Amino acid sequence: MRHLKILSTSDVHGFLYPTNYSQRDDQQPYGWLKAATLIRQIQDQAGPDDIVLTIENGDWIEGSSFDSYLATAAPDRASLLSKLPQDLHYDLGVLGNHEFNYGLDYLCECMADRNYPLLGANIDGAHAQGIVDAPYQIFKKKGVKIAVLGLTTAYVPVWEPASHLTGLTFQSALATAQHWVPKLRQRADVVIVAYHGGFEANLVSGEPTERLTGENEGAQLLTQVPGIDALVTGHQHRLIAGVYHNIPATQPGDKAVAVGEIDLDLDEELQITGRRAQLLPTAAVTPDPELTAKLAPIQAQTQDWLDTPVGHIGGASLRVTDHLAARLHGHPYLNFINQVEADAGQVDIAATALFNDDVAGLGETVTRRQVLNSYPYPNTLVVERVTGADLKAALERCANFFTLQNGAITVSEAFTTPKVELYNYDVYAGIDYTFDLTQPQGTRVTALSYHGQPVQADQQLDIVMNQYRGNGGGEYPMFRASKIIREINTSVADLIQDYLVAHPTVIGQQPQNLTIKR
């Protein structure tokens, strides 16, 4: 009897230490250094019949202030990021969609010094570009042949500018698995799929939980690809562990809040006789002391870099304390971000989002820490030329963000379940608009004007927005690459800092252009 344990981390997003970097001494109940302690313990405690396979499942090199420091201030240290899984004897890695945020050159730099394979079966051209080693790998451990197929969400081109994906084509994860799994089934005793993607349907009933775009194909992998013995997922930041359709599957959240663990029991003929899946929370775990000490110098450099002042705010406060109110009425902070976008895009209509309820905005003295905590994504900007009908359709999508419950306005379940997607609601500047939440969805935009005149359906308008939204991300199909007339290939965080340098004192102003009726 042999016992195979499959451990996975996913969507760590550079949160190595148990901090969100909101303050220098901030402490949070997560972080990869905590996960490292659990992983090391399990590896060290493995008996003679125990096999441990460890997977880094993507979205590793972007997301935290630590990652931002490496990418923008210390790119020569970027290969540190691939050495960390190496220090913990990870067996393999898979690319996440955010691995492409800084471009292929930086991705190659980050992964330069690793001794474990990066797998990506559905990214054509990835091997030629040097970012993927193989579509799959067969590991031989204690007499067991274990095949792992690596997959990445095929939706990456929707979010990334073409310059970040030179020579790459993304294929359906489902179709790719249907091609490879039968072949691996003939060559291995156990077949694992490591997929940086999530689930598009309820895992029990099969009912769709989102629009079927191809972004997430995990439920179809479970039901339409015979021969998979275990499925490791990520991308959606959900906490999932269970056996579905006789296949154990995990998704361990984000920021290393948990480690995914799948257990397979194999008899003497190497047939699977037992299947289990669980998540191992990291909140109460002590960070790995060896790796903590190794990272201490660059962590201190990151903290110093974050505390650098970059500007000053006068007028209305840009601190965000009531996030729902900010989305309902606009906010000086959002108005400022739209002002930065409009200045960079040389237009007067701009859209931005309050990404999550951890965004605190900016203080009177603005530091780099505040900028990166408030705008954590390395988004660039695009200017799109759209029609008035396009703009109204986008605003209708925004209006659906809200729902009425006993007369009170709350966030619609469609933006919180199964995944929290607060970043898919935009606040606009440069137009005046009204939502009437008592009206049916699709008819809630009851007033829309530009420069004091009603917007006409065929009227052409130029709008600046981040490239994620500009490519239709967040279910905004009225925006797409073919409508882009100008690109601003500087990250919004850098644009904010540049704007603050050019305007030593920014005067905060409460916008008055959004009205919501209920």
Side-chain angles (χ1 to χ4, degrees):
M1 177 74 73
R2 291 175 179 81
H3 179 78
L4 170 60
K5 191 179 292 290
I6 305 159
L7 303 177
S8 63
T9 52
S10 191
D11 300 271
V12 174
H13 288 290
F15 287 90
L16 308 178
Y17 278 80
T19 177
N20 63 11
Y21 294 96
S22 61
Q23 303 175 55
R24 196 174 183 108
D25 58 353
D26 170 75
Q27 291 291 311
Q28 297 292 330
Y30 51 65
W32 183 80
L33 290 170
K34 289 173 172 279
T37 297
L38 282 178
I39 292 170
R40 199 187 295 276
Q41 288 174 349
I42 292 169
Q43 291 171 335
D44 291 345
Q45 293 168 4
D49 295 324
D50 296 328
I51 302 168
V52 180
L53 187 86
T54 308
I55 300 172
E56 209 309 294
N57 202 49
D59 279 5
W60 173 256
I61 71 171
E62 181 281 331
S64 72
S65 294
F66 186 93
D67 279 350
S68 294
Y69 173 70
L70 287 176
T72 60
D76 58 315
R77 304 289 303 278
S79 62
L80 166 74
L81 291 170
S82 64
K83 293 177 182 176
L84 293 172
Q86 185 169 301
D87 288 342
L88 262 192
H89 308 294
Y90 275 66
D91 291 281
L92 67 119
V94 175
L95 295 176
N97 53 294
H98 284 283
E99 257 66 70
F100 299 91
N101 285 168
Y102 294 116
L104 296 185
D105 288 345
Y106 184 71
L107 173 54
C108 289
E109 182 68 25
C110 286
M111 299 302 176
D113 293 333
R114 61 190 162 78
N115 65 358
Y116 54 91
L118 281 176
L119 305 181
N122 66 322
I123 312 176
D124 293 346
H127 186 268
Q129 294 288 355
I131 61 169
V132 161
D133 298 301
Y136 67 88
Q137 180 128 333
I138 296 178
F139 300 87
K140 297 180 181 179
K141 292 177 177 276
K142 299 184 179 179
V144 182
K145 294 180 180 178
I146 306 163
V148 183
L149 180 71
L151 299 169
T152 299
T153 173
Y155 224 53
V156 173
V158 174
W159 304 311
E160 289 298 317
S163 60
H164 287 186
L165 305 175
T166 303
L168 303 181
T169 304
F170 289 76
Q171 306 296 338
S172 160
L174 173 64
T176 304
Q178 289 173 329
H179 170 79
W180 280 110
V181 169
K183 299 178 185 298
L184 298 178
R185 187 77 271 165
Q186 296 176 357
R187 299 185 57 190
D189 303 305
V190 177
V191 176
I192 301 166
V193 172
Y195 172 44
H196 187 86
F199 298 105
E200 74 284 15
N202 183 286
L203 294 178
V204 177
S205 70
E207 289 295 315
T209 52
E210 60 186 49
R211 193 163 60 93
L212 301 181
T213 63
E215 176 182 350
N216 299 301
E217 300 177 271
Q220 295 170 87
L221 292 174
L222 290 173
T223 58
Q224 299 181 30
V225 188
I228 296 175
D229 293 315
L231 177 63
V232 171
T233 74
H235 182 55
Q236 293 172 308
H237 299 183
R238 297 167 66 186
L239 295 169
I240 297 172
V243 179
Y244 308 96
H245 308 283
N246 208 37
I247 302 171
T250 55
Q251 188 173 138
D254 67 329
K255 302 184 183 71
V257 296
V259 174
E261 180 183 272
I262 292 174
D263 293 289
L264 299 176
D265 300 322
L266 290 83
D267 63 18
E268 295 303 322
E269 285 73 40
L270 303 183
Q271 299 298 305
I272 297 173
T273 60
R275 301 166 176 84
R276 298 171 299 282
Q278 65 174 332
L279 299 181
L280 307 177
T282 62
V285 179
T286 301
D288 182 271
E290 178 184 332
L291 291 172
T292 298
K294 179 178 180 176
L295 289 170
I298 198 163
Q299 171 73 350
Q301 293 166 21
T302 300
Q303 295 284 18
D304 291 343
W305 179 74
L306 289 171
D307 284 335
T308 305
V310 293
H312 184 80
I313 304 296
S317 173
L318 269 60
R319 288 288 191 189
V320 183
T321 56
D322 187 332
H323 293 78
L324 181 60
R327 296 183 180 103
L328 283 168
H329 310 298
H331 189 278
Y333 166 73
L334 295 172
N335 193 58
F336 168 66
I337 301 301
N338 277 330
Q339 185 177 341
V340 171
E341 291 188 3
D343 182 78
Q346 300 176 2
V347 297
D348 59 357
I349 305 177
T352 194
L354 193 58
F355 296 118
N356 57 60
D357 286 348
D358 291 328
V359 172
L362 306 177
E364 186 174 340
T365 297
V366 183
T367 64
R368 192 175 277 121
R369 183 188 304 275
Q370 293 172 17
V371 172
L372 290 175
N373 274 303
S374 293
Y375 208 105
Y377 302 112
N379 290 332
T380 56
L381 297 175
V382 296
V383 177
E384 293 203 7
R385 182 158 292 162
V386 304
T387 65
D390 291 330
L391 176 56
K392 186 173 185 294
L395 292 173
E396 290 287 0
R397 165 75 171 148
C398 292
N400 292 346
F401 181 82
F402 301 110
T403 189
L404 290 173
Q405 292 185 352
N406 299 321
I409 301 176
T410 62
V411 178
S412 170
E413 187 175 308
F415 289 79
T416 60
T417 306
K419 178 184 177 181
V420 177
E421 298 180 349
L422 303 177
Y423 49 82
N424 282 331
Y425 169 78
D426 294 324
V427 173
Y428 281 74
I431 57 172
D432 294 284
Y433 58 112
T434 299
F435 296 158
D436 186 345
L437 303 185
T438 67
Q439 299 301 311
Q441 291 190 359
T443 62
R444 289 179 165 182
V445 179
T446 57
L448 172 58
S449 62
Y450 174 60
H451 289 180
Q453 298 297 317
V455 171
Q456 304 302 312
D458 60 352
Q459 182 176 352
Q460 289 195 326
L461 301 163
D462 293 348
I463 306 175
V464 62
M465 62 193 80
N466 68 58
Q467 97 280 349
Y468 168 75
R469 188 71 77 241
N471 283 319
E475 299 191 23
Y476 286 83
M478 68 292 300
F479 300 137
R480 54 181 178 269
S482 62
K483 297 181 180 181
I484 295 173
I485 61 171
R486 189 159 56 254
E487 297 183 8
I488 300 93
N489 291 316
T490 302
S491 75
V492 177
D494 284 344
L495 290 173
I496 293 169
Q497 294 180 63
D498 292 345
Y499 190 92
L500 288 166
V501 170
H503 304 81
T505 298
V506 169
I507 303 301
Q509 295 181 328
Q510 172 64 40
Q512 304 291 335
N513 63 315
L514 169 59
T515 302
I516 294 188
K517 297 180 179 179
R518 56 178 173 175

